[in-house]
Amino acid sequence: MVHNFNAGPSILPKEVFEQASQAILNFNDTGLSILEIGHRTPLFEPVMQEARALVKELMNLDTNHEVLFLHGGATTQFMQLPMNLLNENGLASYTETGTWSNKAIKEAKLFGHVEISGSSKEENFTSIPDELQVSATAAYLHITTNETIAGTQWHAIPYDCGVPLVADMSSDILSRVLDFNRFDLIYAGAQKNMGAAGVNLVVVNKNILGKVSRNIPSILDYQNHIKEESMLNTPPVFAVYVAMLTLRWLKKQGGVSVIEQKNNEKAKLFYDTIDNLPVFKCPIRKIDRSKMNAVFVMENPELEKEFLNLCTAEGMIGVKGHRSVGGFRVSMYNALPIESVKAFTNLMKHFATKHG
Ligand SMILES: *Cc1c(COP(=O)(O)O)cnc(C)c1O
């Protein structure tokens, strides 16, 4: 028995793996693999259409919001977003909450001016900024809704920031109910919570596009992708298919509100346990703790190796902290069953008894 706490690529529902394997061997009883069919065919086009429609339905999107599946990982969106939304002399507002927001900031600076409207750098990224200073002239405000490495999450979304709101939701997409229509652009690499690596979800309010003066390469222009219904060129067909299967699974679970309750239960079990065991310590400010990626350390760092060895022996996969921060990280994405969190917290209790 293994428990998969990998941060990304990460656990997906078992039925998705089974269906995806089947489609590689014999897609929809055609005698063909999904890997050997044209994308502009009556075989694949419905896959793209269903994937986009499921996102619209699960996120409750209005008609201004377009759904795209694009190449390149969230890292591509770090540059594609400012290229489409930020004029050369314009200003964009960014919140600085950890590794991922810093990477987004670095890319935005290539296209225009960037102000930092709120930062938790002084707190070593263990919190989310309490207050933001957003210039009214900013083209948009960018937030990273869940900092996958730092282990923080925005629980109060700054909807009323006065400028278009854009967000990197790579590691908490579809994990909780938000007012998605109040975001003007949302992007997420699929490999954390909604599919396989190789595809990005982009949800964009079409009314904010077409306002920059620079020439945008065709493949990087959101408007072209909207016009071509996310089939401007060959899409990453298999990754889109896996995303569609995962979205179907999510709908079958009851949708985002049902999965949110399950995620809340898992996070509560984890954090209640750690707060009651003095051997372990979660350095994140309580109100800002991530329900997707829980980070923690040991009060006595000398015990870390022993605990890690115990985790390995017990089949707890992917719990070592990111190489940049150390300690431990337990990722609890949508597909992770609560049984895995129970197994992990039992192991923590067992270890604490031994070293208490
Ligand atoms: C993983 C991650 C990324 C990077 O995604 P890639 O698909 O590897 O480019 C960006 N932002 C966040 C919040 C992430 O968790």
Side-chain angles (χ1 to χ4, degrees):
M1 180 77 190
V2 295
H3 298 282
N4 184 356
F5 299 100
N6 276 326
S10 32
I11 187 168
L12 290 174
K14 192 158 176 274
E15 65 186 70
V16 168
F17 292 135
E18 284 161 2
Q19 292 159 356
S21 323
Q22 182 56 35
I24 287 192
L25 297 171
N26 180 6
F27 177 57
N28 286 354
D29 282 325
T30 54
L32 295 165
S33 167
I34 189 166
L35 302 180
E36 59 178 348
I37 56 174
H39 56 293
R40 293 186 206 283
T41 61
L43 289 177
F44 183 74
E45 276 177 352
V47 172
M48 180 60 95
Q49 280 161 12
E50 185 177 341
R52 295 174 78 207
L54 280 167
V55 170
K56 278 216 147 185
E57 183 184 339
L58 289 164
M59 295 174 84
N60 223 340
L61 297 174
D62 63 29
T63 51
N64 289 324
H65 284 74
E66 299 278 351
V67 178
L68 302 172
F69 284 95
L70 305 181
H71 291 271
T75 304
T76 301
Q77 293 309 310
F78 293 161
M79 63 91 177
Q80 189 169 356
L81 187 156
M83 187 184 270
N84 279 264
L85 300 182
L86 177 58
N87 262 313
E88 208 166 335
N89 296 315
L91 177 73
S93 201
Y94 276 71
T95 53
E96 185 190 32
T97 48
T99 310
W100 293 116
S101 57
N102 269 317
K103 290 192 186 212
I105 291 164
K106 179 164 175 269
E107 299 299 294
K109 285 180 177 166
L110 298 171
F111 298 94
H113 301 288
V114 171
E115 69 172 16
I116 303 299
S117 42
S119 174
S120 52
K121 192 174 177 185
E122 297 274 292
E123 290 81 47
N124 210 6
F125 301 125
T126 55
S127 62
I128 293 292
D130 287 317
E131 278 181 38
L132 302 180
Q133 307 280 334
V134 182
S135 296
T137 53
Y140 58 84
L141 170 69
H142 180 283
I143 66 171
T144 307
T145 51
N146 187 74
E147 281 281 0
T148 325
I149 295 172
T152 57
Q153 189 173 26
W154 289 76
H155 296 296
I157 304 291
Y159 292 120
D160 293 314
C161 58
V163 301
L165 179 62
V166 308
D168 176 357
M169 287 194 196
S170 293
S171 50
D172 66 350
I173 188 80
L174 297 167
S175 71
R176 55 176 173 162
V177 176
L178 296 175
D179 200 344
F180 297 108
N181 289 310
R182 294 180 76 185
F183 291 86
D184 289 280
L185 195 145
I186 294 166
Y187 61 95
Q191 72 273 22
K192 312 266 167 54
N193 223 358
M194 59 171 292
V199 69
N200 276 324
L201 171 68
V202 173
V203 171
V204 58
N205 176 355
K206 58 186 178 218
N207 298 324
I208 63 162
L209 300 175
K211 295 184 181 164
V212 291
S213 48
R214 75 172 54 83
N215 292 319
I216 302 174
S218 311
I219 186 77
L220 294 175
D221 189 335
Y222 294 127
Q223 287 185 304
N224 288 339
H225 289 284
I226 292 171
K227 220 180 298 156
E228 299 297 331
E229 303 188 337
S230 208
M231 296 267 262
L232 175 67
N233 68 329
T234 315
V237 288
F238 189 62
V240 172
Y241 186 66
V242 176
M244 186 209 73
L245 294 173
T246 309
L247 292 162
R248 270 188 192 165
W249 170 84
L250 181 56
K251 183 176 168 181
K252 212 170 82 186
Q253 301 300 299
V256 182
S257 61
V258 172
I259 212 77
E260 176 175 20
Q261 281 171 23
K262 293 185 181 171
N263 290 334
N264 285 345
E265 275 174 45
K266 289 184 280 178
K268 182 168 178 355
L269 173 59
F270 181 84
Y271 288 116
D272 281 353
T273 305
I274 200 165
D275 288 341
N276 279 309
L277 299 173
V279 180
F280 301 98
K281 189 175 80 180
C282 171
I284 308 301
R285 184 167 70 162
K286 273 193 182 168
I287 56 167
D288 301 318
R289 288 171 171 182
S290 167
K291 293 179 181 176
M292 294 282 103
N293 313 96
V295 298
F296 67 95
V297 294
M298 311 287 266
E299 276 296 351
N300 173 5
E302 283 170 17
L303 291 178
E304 289 196 356
K305 195 148 187 266
E306 186 184 334
F307 185 64
L308 188 62
N309 289 341
L310 182 64
C311 290
T312 308
E314 295 294 320
M316 307 291 169
I317 310 293
V319 301
K320 199 169 192 288
H322 188 269
R323 60 187 190 278
S324 63
V325 292
F328 297 86
R329 172 174 52 173
V330 168
S331 296
M332 300 178 281
Y333 295 121
N334 286 354
L336 185 83
I338 193 160
E339 287 70 31
S340 289
V341 183
K342 282 184 186 151
F344 192 80
T345 48
N346 284 341
L347 197 64
M348 291 171 93
K349 285 183 213 156
H350 169 78
F351 190 81
T353 314
K354 201 167 136 205
H355 293 281

